[in-house]
Amino acid sequence: MSNIYQPAEDSYLMSGILKEQIPVLLEKKPNLNFLEIGVGSGIHLQTAFNSGIKKENIFSSDINKDSVNHCNLLGFNCVYSDLFENIEGKFDLIIFNPPYLPEDSREPEDSRLSTTGGVKGNEIIIRFLNEAKNHLEEDGKLFLITSSLAEDLYFEEAGYKAKELGCEKLFFERLCVWELEVMN
């Protein structure tokens, strides 16, 4: 599991938000379809299941084949995919704890896949936002983590209305989870 992104502050922030939000979403839609892009260790899959989403409605992907194999061994449906490349269908809730740090030549090569979001830190997130619209059900939501270390994102320019669900201040950055909905 050394190649797999292990839960850290960002993972625990997202997990806490999921525990609060999923029961509310399930009240409105008991058969909620859930997708996690960049599944890592699978912590959010377990949180989704423990919060009441049916296992057969929980889907995930990762660009790291070790993460895919690990989550499949945990009994979850996980496919190898670069963002939405191998994803079919539409989902009520899509979550993403992306690599969001700006490129840093001092970072070890083996951890960059999990942490580096591009030169400015937001390039992978921008790709995600552009592709996610095609995979959201009507009234579907995205939950996305951002870091103050990456260049600012302009959700409205990408076609989303945004609501901050929770943030955590660390000694060197501020992490936030956003709820995004496609603007009509």
Side-chain angles (χ1 to χ4, degrees):
M1 287 218 346
S2 60
N3 290 356
I4 298 171
Y5 183 76
Q6 295 303 303
E9 292 88 354
D10 50 1
S11 307
Y12 299 123
L13 176 61
M14 176 69 86
S15 191
I17 296 292
L18 291 174
K19 287 174 188 173
E20 291 171 7
Q21 296 294 318
I22 287 175
V24 175
L25 296 172
L26 284 171
E27 280 181 26
K28 296 174 187 166
K29 190 156 190 179
N31 232 12
L32 185 116
N33 281 319
F34 174 95
L35 171 66
E36 179 172 16
I37 298 291
V39 71
S41 69
I43 181 177
H44 303 126
L45 302 180
Q46 196 61 53
T47 300
F49 179 68
N50 291 345
S51 298
I53 298 178
K54 298 173 190 164
K55 202 169 218 180
E56 62 268 19
N57 290 352
I58 297 175
F59 302 91
S60 60
S61 72
D62 206 295
I63 197 167
N64 178 333
K65 290 180 180 175
D66 291 337
S67 290
V68 171
N69 293 334
H70 171 72
C71 291
N72 281 322
L73 286 173
L74 292 175
F76 292 102
N77 184 351
C78 189
V79 298
Y80 172 79
S81 187
D82 180 0
L83 295 178
F84 293 95
E85 180 180 65
N86 297 318
I87 301 297
E88 294 180 16
K90 294 191 176 225
F91 301 87
D92 302 300
L93 178 60
I94 301 173
I95 70 164
F96 190 30
N97 179 5
Y100 50 68
L101 295 177
E103 203 170 84
D104 183 346
S105 61
R106 298 168 296 176
E107 182 173 11
E109 188 78 33
D110 61 344
S111 69
R112 286 185 191 170
L113 188 63
S114 297
T115 60
T116 302
V119 174
K120 299 175 185 176
N122 66 3
E123 290 89 338
I124 290 175
I125 294 172
I126 291 168
R127 272 186 55 217
F128 168 80
L129 292 173
N130 289 330
E131 295 175 22
K133 292 174 191 166
N134 300 321
H135 296 278
L136 270 179
E137 288 284 1
E138 193 173 321
D139 299 326
K141 297 177 186 303
L142 303 177
F143 289 1
L144 174 70
I145 293 185
T146 61
S147 166
S148 60
L149 296 178
E151 193 166 294
D152 283 345
L153 292 163
Y154 301 98
F155 296 126
E156 283 185 14
E157 287 178 18
Y160 293 94
K161 55 183 175 180
K163 176 176 146 186
E164 190 179 280
L165 294 178
C167 293
E168 184 172 327
K169 177 85 173 99
L170 305 174
F171 67 95
F172 56 93
E173 72 181 320
R174 185 172 186 255
L175 299 173
C176 291
V177 176
W178 298 89
E179 175 186 277
L180 304 173
E181 293 180 74
V182 176
M183 290 192 294
N184 296 326

